[in-house]
Amino acid sequence: MSGFRSLTIPALLLVAALTACSVSTTPGGSTGNADQKTDGPVAIGFSQATQQSPFYVQLREGAEAAAKKAGGSLYFADAGGDVTKQNNDIQDLITRQVDVLLVNPVDPQGVQPGIAAAKAAGVPVVTVDRPVPEGAVAHVGRDNKAMGALVGKRLSEQLGAKGGKVIEIRGDAGGAVARDRSAGFHEAVAANPKIKIIEGPYSDYVRSKAVTAMQDLLQVHPDVAAVYAHNDDMALGALQVLKENGKDKVLVSGVDGLMEAVKQIPSGQYVATALNDPLSLGAKAVETVIKVQKGEKVEPSIDAGTELVDTDNAAQFAGDGEFAQAVTK
């Protein structure tokens, strides 16, 4: 899969130090008591849902860079999409005596045992990208419903009065991100009665799974007019299948601002995406974690912002990074 960077030396050292539970064996620097505020370096435990897409690789890199810049330590655990493993990872991070837990949940409900264990140990939890119903002192993310709506409105405009079938390739079952990106999109295209949405399978934000899904869907719906995927990596997988089958008139759209997708937009088939820069999101999450560790007040929900990228502005966002970043005005 494209979009993966080589890990930095600090990251490699962390990976090398991982145990069978995928947690660094280096101890943290505090007792893990949420009431104990220190001015020393923060020890952060980061439990991430997966590394199986460019977005999540970069989210980790952004968090690691921010923790290093702040002089803190970040102990990382990759759940590999397994919520049972994630709960075990969280327990292991707690035993490392981290100050604060940063959690990117596999499943918002399924991770509750881990969140409860952190609360019992007096370790505050901050979630990133994917929220949980309860137990976190703050969530750092973006308005995924707004992202879906931005892309949906643009795709609806492009399809026009003729409308047509739109295949939706979904993210993860039960996930808040997938739910919101779907809801925003559905609401945005509802004004066009000629658009019929075909809900495809959950492909877990992974390009290879989206390729398989699109191959099957194209057999059943050869008259498809457009594709909307819950992230650009899956949308690019769908685009690959469409091109292989000579479907160069079928429009494609996604979310996240993956640079590979942004650079496809000027050609016309890839209509739009929405910004969701993971490096800045990881940095914002760590910034919030440090505030929590210092006892500073933080908002319960922190929106990192988004923006539509389409043919009108794609050139402004094109660059060498893996994801498009907001243009400084």
Side-chain angles (χ1 to χ4, degrees):
M1 186 193 313
S2 65
F4 287 86
R5 285 185 179 178
S6 59
L7 293 173
T8 59
I9 291 175
L12 286 171
L13 290 173
L14 279 171
V15 171
L18 301 185
T19 66
C21 294
S22 301
V23 177
S24 170
T25 57
T26 306
S30 82
T31 63
N33 189 335
D35 295 326
Q36 179 182 345
K37 306 298 185 289
T38 72
D39 294 325
V42 62
I44 304 166
F46 185 13
S47 171
Q48 195 171 22
T50 181
Q51 288 276 277
Q52 292 301 308
S53 85
F55 178 86
Y56 292 111
V57 172
Q58 292 247 296
L59 182 64
R60 172 185 177 173
E61 290 180 4
E64 287 175 338
K68 181 179 179 181
K69 184 177 179 181
S73 300
L74 188 145
Y75 305 114
F76 179 81
D78 174 15
D82 183 339
V83 72
T84 299
K85 183 178 185 304
Q86 183 163 49
N87 283 317
N88 291 335
D89 287 346
I90 288 172
Q91 188 63 62
D92 287 338
L93 288 166
I94 292 168
T95 64
R96 308 296 180 210
Q97 299 186 335
V98 296
D99 296 303
V100 186
L101 273 167
L102 182 60
V103 179
N104 169 231
V106 171
D107 176 83
Q109 293 291 347
V111 78
Q112 284 301 312
I115 303 292
K119 182 179 180 180
V123 180
V125 173
V126 174
T127 54
V128 59
D129 183 53
R130 304 174 178 184
V132 292
E134 58 183 353
V137 298
H139 172 69
V140 183
R142 292 189 167 95
D143 189 336
N144 288 287
K145 190 172 181 180
M147 291 180 190
L150 285 170
V151 174
K153 183 174 183 293
R154 184 67 185 85
L155 185 61
S156 180
E157 291 169 351
Q158 191 74 15
L159 288 170
K162 187 177 179 180
K165 286 184 181 179
V166 177
I167 287 174
E168 178 182 11
I169 300 180
R170 297 178 289 175
D172 57 332
V177 172
R179 179 198 66 212
D180 290 348
R181 290 184 181 183
S182 181
F185 182 82
H186 280 244
E187 288 178 15
V189 303
N192 188 338
K194 294 294 185 180
I195 290 178
K196 180 182 179 182
I197 298 176
I198 308 297
E199 293 186 344
Y202 293 102
S203 297
D204 299 319
Y205 302 103
V206 177
R207 187 180 306 201
S208 60
K209 292 185 179 181
V211 167
T212 301
M214 192 65 209
Q215 288 169 338
D216 294 339
L217 288 161
L218 196 56
Q219 295 297 316
V220 181
H221 304 285
D223 56 341
V224 59
V227 174
Y228 166 61
H230 289 180
N231 76 345
D232 289 317
D233 208 38
M234 294 192 299
L236 288 164
L239 181 65
Q240 173 190 323
V241 174
L242 291 169
K243 287 184 173 180
E244 288 170 352
N245 287 272
K247 300 283 188 179
D248 58 352
K249 302 297 183 185
V250 177
L251 304 178
V252 178
S253 59
V255 176
D256 282 345
L258 186 64
M259 189 58 68
E260 187 181 349
V262 171
K263 290 181 177 180
Q264 288 281 345
I265 290 174
S267 67
Q269 188 171 6
Y270 206 107
V271 175
T273 183
L275 292 184
N276 190 24
D277 172 27
L279 288 174
S280 64
L281 185 61
K284 176 69 76 173
V286 166
E287 178 185 309
T288 303
V289 162
I290 291 171
K291 288 181 179 179
V292 169
Q293 186 250 356
K294 290 181 177 178
E296 297 178 17
K297 181 174 176 157
V298 297
E299 293 296 321
S301 182
I302 299 162
D303 185 359
T306 189
E307 186 175 348
L308 180 72
V309 182
D310 61 7
T311 52
D312 292 337
N313 62 3
Q316 300 174 51
F317 294 100
D320 296 329
E322 294 207 39
F323 289 83
Q325 295 180 303
V327 177
T328 303
K329 298 180 181 180

